[in-house]
């Protein structure tokens, strides 16, 4: 997977731990199978926009708190 997806997973893990959730407990709270949630944190799976909203709402945070900085992952549009 791309560095962007891996960086997202690392930021998600950090935010979840700071909120005091275990991986299993948070996955259950958000309604995501624990194995699939683990893949998100390891950066081995891309997620849907709806899932991003669920994660941010469950963590009571803005997207910017779990998404890597745009300037770190600049995409060439040419």
């Amino acid at each position: 997977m791309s560095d962007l997806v891996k960086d997202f997973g690392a930021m998600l893990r950090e935010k979840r731990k700071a909120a005091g959730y275990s991986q299993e407990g948070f996955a259950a709270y958000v309604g995501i199978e624990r194995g699939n949630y683990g893949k998100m944190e390891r950066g081995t799976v891309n997620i849907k926009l709806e899932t991003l909203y669920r994660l941010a709402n469950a963590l009571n945070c803005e997207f910017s708190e779990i998404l890597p900085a745009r300037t770190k992952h600049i995409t060439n549009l040419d």
Side-chain angles (χ1 to χ4, degrees), residues 11 15 52 55-57 59-67:
M11 292 178 74
K15 191 71 172 171
L52 178 61
L55 294 169
N57 283 325
L59 290 168
N60 194 31
C61 71
E62 296 299 326
F63 296 141
S64 60
E65 296 177 58
I66 55 175
L67 289 177

